[in-house]
């Protein structure tokens, strides 16, 4: 084996080591997925049929964890690094079963999803993901009780918009969903930049 061959082997070992390190505490994928799901939920807030939003999250929540599983499995096949993030699969299945069996969880679906993501973050010792999961659960709860909608109505009333309706306007929750989802995606971009930086270093 020549010097150049040895150098190439060392470079490859270093690359795999950086990939393995970046894979230890990944945050970007779940943040992208759940941010996108929050944005998509806005489509179910363009009418007064809020029951569809409830059904949406009962399906989208578990599906989000299963999508994470699929992405990590594909990543493992492509790079040869990673364990496939089986905890996302388990969490998705348990969450789906819980939603089917424990009906009261329907009312707090969003905080429950955030809590499930938090458990994964704690298991991974991933502080950044834990913070974002907590944000998802808390904001999800506040969205569920229309906290931000009411603030938007107050702002609209303050600035004289929709006077005849006292500041009320349809689609307020959809606006909140998009903003909330974009914040999650932005958090994912920050995490992705850090993960890519580790691999490229």
């Amino acid at each position: 084996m020549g010097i150049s061959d040895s150098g190439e082997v060392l470079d490859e070992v270093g690359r795999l080591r950086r990939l393995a390190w970046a894979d230890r505490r990944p945050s970007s994928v779940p943040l992208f997925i759940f941010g996108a799901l929050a944005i998509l939920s806005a489509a179910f807030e363009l009418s007064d049929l809020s029951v569809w939003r409830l059904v949406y999250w009962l399906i989208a929540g578990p599906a989000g964890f299963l999508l994470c599983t699929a992405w990590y499995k594909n990543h493992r096949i492509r790079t040869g690094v990673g364990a496939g993030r089986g905890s996302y699969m388990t969490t998705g299945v348990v969450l789906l079963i819980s939603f089917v069996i424990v009906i009261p969880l329907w009312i707090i679906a969003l905080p429950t999803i955030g809590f499930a993501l938090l458990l994964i973050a704690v298991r991974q010792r991933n502080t950044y993901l834990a913070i974002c999961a907590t944000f998802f659960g808390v904001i999800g709860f506040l969205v569920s009780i229309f906290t931000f909608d009411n603030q938007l109505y107050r702002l609209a009333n303050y600035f004289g918009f929709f006077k005849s309706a006292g500041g009320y306007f349809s689609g307020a929750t959809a606006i909140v969903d998009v903003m909330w989802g974009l914040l999650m995606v932005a958090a994912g971009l920050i995490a992705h930049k850090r993960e890519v930086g580790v691999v490229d270093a």
Side-chain angles (χ1 to χ4, degrees), residues 33 44 59 85 91 107 118 134 145 147 161 168 185 193 197:
I33 288 176
F44 296 89
I59 298 172
R85 298 295 161 193
T91 303
I107 302 173
L118 176 61
T134 302
I145 60 175
T147 301
F161 299 118
Y168 173 82
V185 171
K193 184 177 181 181

Side-chain angles (χ1 to χ4, degrees), residues 50-103:
S50 58
V51 65
W52 290 112
R53 175 191 175 84
L54 177 64
V55 173
Y56 171 83
W57 280 113
L58 293 177
I59 298 172
F65 290 99
L66 299 181
L67 285 172
C68 289
T69 300
W71 192 95
Y72 284 120
K73 182 178 180 180
N74 182 61
H75 175 72
R76 181 187 57 187
I77 293 172
R78 285 188 294 105
T79 65
V81 176
R85 298 295 161 193
S87 56
Y88 284 100
M89 169 69 81
T90 303
T91 303
V93 172
V94 170
L95 190 63
L96 180 60
I97 294 172
S98 299
F99 282 155
V100 171
I101 297 175
V102 187
I103 306 301

Side-chain angles (χ1 to χ4, degrees), residues 87-164:
S87 56
Y88 284 100
M89 169 69 81
T90 303
T91 303
V93 172
V94 170
L95 190 63
L96 180 60
I97 294 172
S98 299
F99 282 155
V100 171
I101 297 175
V102 187
I103 306 301
L105 285 180
W106 293 11
I107 302 173
I108 53 170
L110 286 170
T112 302
I113 294 166
F115 180 72
L117 189 58
L118 176 61
L119 290 179
I120 291 178
V122 170
R123 182 179 177 183
Q124 294 179 357
R125 297 181 181 177
N126 187 337
T127 304
Y128 184 79
L129 183 59
I131 293 172
C132 293
T134 302
F135 171 82
F136 185 93
V138 171
I139 297 299
F141 173 73
L142 294 175
V143 167
S144 300
I145 60 175
F146 306 104
T147 301
F148 299 110
D149 298 54
N150 292 329
Q151 294 303 317
L152 286 177
Y153 300 149
R154 289 191 181 96
L155 282 174
N157 188 50
Y158 178 80
F159 288 106
F161 299 118
F162 310 104
K163 288 184 177 180
S164 61

